[in-house]
Amino acid sequence: KSASPSRRSSSRSKAATSAPRSPSPAPSTSEASPHCFIFEAPLPPSCLLTPSGASNIASHAYKAGGSTTFDDFMNPYWNSWVSHLPHWMAPNLVTTLGGSFCLLSYALVMYHSPSLDSAVPPWVFLVCGFNTWAYYTLDCLDGKQARRTGTSSPLGQLFDHGVDCLGNISHFTAIGAALAAGPTRLALAGQVSLQFSFFVAQWQEYHLRSLPHKFGELGVTEVNHLQALTLAAFGAFGLAGYDTAGAMNTAVLSNGMKANECVIIGWIVLNVVLICISLNMTVVQTSNYKSLLHLFSPLLACLPVLILPPGCLSVNFGLVSACTGLLFGYVTNKMIVFSMARMTYGTLQPDVLAILAAACASRGPLTEYGATVLWRAAVCWQLCRFVAWSRGAIKQLCARLGVRCFRIEYKKE
């Protein structure tokens, strides 16, 4: 996903074709729209899901939007390519392999330009363009691999969209480096708008039981391929001796703004439009105004864009970006799980308060070194929280469904 937040239905029918052990009856309609509370009900330390929540996930059926013309064009190729995957390869392993391409892109960009303002070798953008295409292609093949091997389960949707949460960080940093966006509030706002848009898509599924995939003929497939081509073009022109990033950063338009600033603003506007469409469908058309309470925590997570002083942001942009991305990944991943489990999602997610505290402390009498240490600690904390919560949820789901996350276990004859 780049600016659009979901998965095509043919690739994500892993969840829809699940056959778990002893499935519970489908929840009633009233359970599909849980009431909003400030905090979630406390659970035992070893449990992240209630027994009824785990049963709801076991009987969960994924429902996505329709396909675009380009989806229909690509589908025969995806069907052909999936036949080349080995039968022993678990669908979640395919998803993880796709996520590793995003991780490689992120590592390359952060190594060469941690603040998105340094020169990046053109070949890096070529690699990032290929990685974006490879990531999305494998993302479309994992569900097909699940049906091909007879290992469909609701765990697939959780794992798939959980990887997408982190992939968003890679998508923006690659584009930000190509634009030479720099360590600015505008650049951080561009990342936050993308991740907030992705959260809103999961929030929409939580309340409407349907995940948006496209708006008209613009969908996830189009956006990801467009981003891959854009990055490849930056790399190709750079290899030809044309400094594309530098040109975007120095070109001044008639309105006095730089070209790269205009592109980022356009990026933000696109995400705001997608958010408004989801708000209209989820809140206005259904008169479910109480659902807005679930947007409180992600809105708080956006405040560092306004709170952080420019000096701190210029020195620690990479750390702030990583911490913000991991936080959005955590709260979004939790929304995905709670949507499938039909559990009540708390209005206030306490982890958001940690990044707000770090942002407020950065405005205080901290030295430059002190602020760097603070944000390094914040990144480590948020990474541990994301990994621990995701690992716990996956472990509990695997036990409930009787499946392995990365291994296919065939029954012996």
Side-chain angles (χ1 to χ4, degrees):
K1 170 199 176 283
S2 228
S4 179
S6 66
R7 185 65 48 241
R8 52 190 324 275
S9 57
S10 63
S11 68
R12 283 291 9 123
S13 58
K14 282 195 283 186
T17 59
S18 169
R21 299 182 301 177
S22 304
S24 303
S28 62
T29 304
S30 61
E31 291 178 302
S33 300
H35 293 291
C36 299
F37 297 98
I38 296 179
F39 296 107
E40 296 145 10
L43 293 171
S46 59
C47 294
L48 300 176
L49 303 171
T50 62
S52 61
S55 297
N56 288 340
I57 291 181
S59 59
H60 174 76
Y62 177 76
K63 181 182 178 183
S67 60
T68 63
T69 302
F70 191 50
D71 284 328
D72 297 334
F73 171 78
M74 290 298 301
N75 201 46
Y77 295 98
W78 292 328
N79 287 330
S80 174
W81 295 338
V82 75
S83 64
H84 297 288
L85 296 179
H87 270 275
W88 55 262
M89 194 171 192
N92 290 330
L93 195 57
V94 178
T95 308
T96 303
L97 179 60
S100 67
F101 283 100
C102 290
L103 181 61
L104 175 60
S105 294
Y106 180 78
L108 285 173
V109 171
M110 286 292 101
Y111 176 79
H112 290 283
S113 183
S115 297
L116 306 184
D117 60 350
S118 304
V120 177
W123 64 265
V124 171
F125 294 128
L126 285 176
V127 172
C128 288
F130 171 79
N131 287 349
T132 301
W133 174 83
Y135 149 76
Y136 185 73
T137 298
L138 290 170
D139 208 18
C140 291
L141 298 186
D142 53 8
K144 298 177 183 295
Q145 176 73 350
R147 296 193 300 278
R148 177 171 172 251
T149 56
T151 55
S152 301
S153 80
L155 181 63
Q157 180 183 351
L158 166 62
F159 205 85
D160 189 320
H161 292 187
V163 170
D164 290 341
C165 290
L166 297 181
N168 289 332
I169 311 175
S170 170
H171 298 331
F172 179 78
T173 53
I175 291 294
L179 296 174
T184 64
R185 287 180 176 175
L186 183 62
L188 186 60
Q191 175 186 325
V192 166
S193 69
L194 170 61
Q195 296 197 283
F196 190 87
S197 174
F198 190 89
F199 178 90
V200 167
Q202 314 307 321
W203 164 80
Q204 180 175 337
E205 184 186 25
Y206 180 88
H207 289 282
L208 300 185
R209 319 313 305 169
S210 177
L211 188 65
H213 164 256
K214 68 184 184 72
F215 297 103
E217 285 297 320
L218 178 63
V220 187
T221 304
E222 289 77 13
V223 171
N224 277 274
H225 281 79
L226 179 61
Q227 176 170 320
L229 288 173
T230 301
L231 290 171
F234 270 94
F237 283 117
L239 290 173
Y242 180 65
D243 185 4
T244 51
M248 293 291 290
N249 190 36
T250 55
V252 179
L253 305 181
S254 58
N255 59 5
M257 295 183 63
K258 295 181 179 179
N260 59 355
E261 293 175 344
C262 291
V263 174
I264 297 174
I265 290 174
W267 171 291
I268 296 173
V269 170
L270 174 60
N271 282 288
V272 170
V273 169
L274 295 176
I275 292 169
C276 290
I277 293 174
S278 291
L279 288 173
N280 179 61
M281 295 174 63
T282 308
V283 179
V284 179
Q285 294 182 11
T286 62
S287 298
N288 184 16
Y289 295 98
K290 189 161 53 175
S291 64
L292 291 171
L293 292 175
H294 288 147
L295 300 180
F296 180 69
S297 288
L299 281 173
L300 287 181
C302 298
L303 289 182
V305 175
L306 303 175
I307 295 176
L308 282 170
C312 176
L313 199 57
S314 64
V315 175
N316 302 298
F317 182 84
L319 295 172
V320 173
S321 171
C323 188
T324 304
L326 288 169
L327 174 62
F328 266 100
Y330 171 75
V331 296
T332 306
N333 209 24
K334 194 172 182 181
M335 173 60 79
I336 294 169
V337 175
F338 277 41
S339 175
M340 297 170 65
R342 305 197 178 189
M343 292 170 54
T344 299
Y345 187 86
T347 299
L348 179 61
Q349 298 296 317
D351 286 79
V352 176
L353 301 179
I355 193 172
L356 284 180
C360 292
S362 298
R363 296 186 64 89
L366 281 178
T367 63
E368 181 178 304
Y369 178 74
T372 300
V373 171
L374 175 65
W375 281 104
R376 284 177 179 173
V379 170
C380 292
W381 165 256
Q382 205 56 60
L383 179 61
C384 291
R385 285 288 291 161
F386 180 89
V387 172
W389 198 93
S390 300
R391 182 176 179 273
I394 290 172
K395 183 178 179 180
Q396 191 172 351
L397 282 179
C398 286
R400 174 62 180 83
L401 298 172
V403 299
R404 299 290 185 123
C405 187
F406 296 111
R407 190 170 64 191
I408 298 177
E409 291 187 342
Y410 294 105
K411 294 181 180 180
K412 295 182 180 180
E413 297 292 339

